[in-house]
Amino acid sequence: YDFIEMPSDHIFIRRNEYNCRADAVIEVSGYSVLPVYKDGDYVYVEYTDCAYPGQDVVCSTANGGIIKRLTSDYKLESVNPELPFSEKGEGDSIRIIGRVLGVVTSTDRPTERELISLQELFADELQKFEEEDG
C-alpha cells in the first residue's frame, strides 16, 4: 500500500502498474467526462506536458483543472460527446499538465479490516498530515 496525501484528505491504495508511475491521484468532479469517468471517481495522473492523440489529459485553465481528450489533430475535446468542449478565445490559456493513467478501482482500495491496520501502521504520518493540513 501507498499512503497518498491529497488536498484535505488521504487515501490508501494498493501498489499497481498505474500508481507506480502516477505523480498524483485526483478526484473527478462533473459530468463532462462521462461515461469514462464518474463524478467522485479518483484517477491516477502522471505529470507531463507530452501526450498523444486519444489520451485523456489533465489541463490547467483560468477556471481550474479539467480532464479532456486529445484528438488526432492535437486539439482538446470533451470525453462526453453530449457536452462538447467549447473553443477558447485568444486570451484564454489552457495548458496540459498531465495525462490520466487510469481509474482507482475498488480493488485498489483496502478493505475495512485492512484500513484499520493501515491507520495504525501509519498513525504518525496521519497525525502529521492532520496537523499540517487540518
Side-chain angles (χ1 to χ4, degrees), residues 45-66:
V45 177
E46 178 182 31
Y47 292 140
T48 181
D49 58 0
C50 178
Y52 301 99
Q55 290 183 319
D56 295 336
V57 294
V58 177
C59 300
S60 174
T61 73
N63 296 325
I66 58 173

Side-chain angles (χ1 to χ4, degrees), residues 1-2 13-20 44 108:
Y1 284 97
D2 285 330
I13 298 177
R14 282 185 174 85
R15 289 194 176 123
N16 62 38
E17 66 180 292
Y18 294 126
N19 67 20
C20 288
Y44 299 108
D108 294 342

Side-chain angles (χ1 to χ4, degrees), residues 21-37:
R21 293 179 25 221
D23 296 303
V25 173
I26 62 169
E27 186 174 3
V28 174
S29 177
Y31 303 98
S32 68
V33 291
L34 285 172
V36 178
Y37 313 105

Side-chain angles (χ1 to χ4, degrees), residues 4 45 68 74 80:
I4 308 289
V45 177
K68 297 298 172 202
Y74 290 89
N80 183 346

Side-chain angles (χ1 to χ4, degrees), residues 68-117:
K68 297 298 172 202
R69 183 160 289 152
L70 196 61
T71 66
S72 60
D73 56 351
Y74 290 89
K75 293 186 180 181
L76 298 173
E77 68 181 4
S78 180
V79 175
N80 183 346
E82 294 179 16
L83 296 172
F85 182 57
S86 62
E87 291 293 322
K88 302 296 176 190
E90 285 184 32
D92 294 331
S93 175
I94 298 175
R95 185 172 60 92
I96 294 175
I97 59 171
R99 64 178 158 236
V100 177
L101 299 175
V103 176
V104 176
T105 65
S106 60
T107 59
D108 294 342
R109 306 286 296 269
T111 65
E112 286 295 320
R113 187 176 186 154
E114 291 170 326
L115 184 58
I116 292 168
S117 297

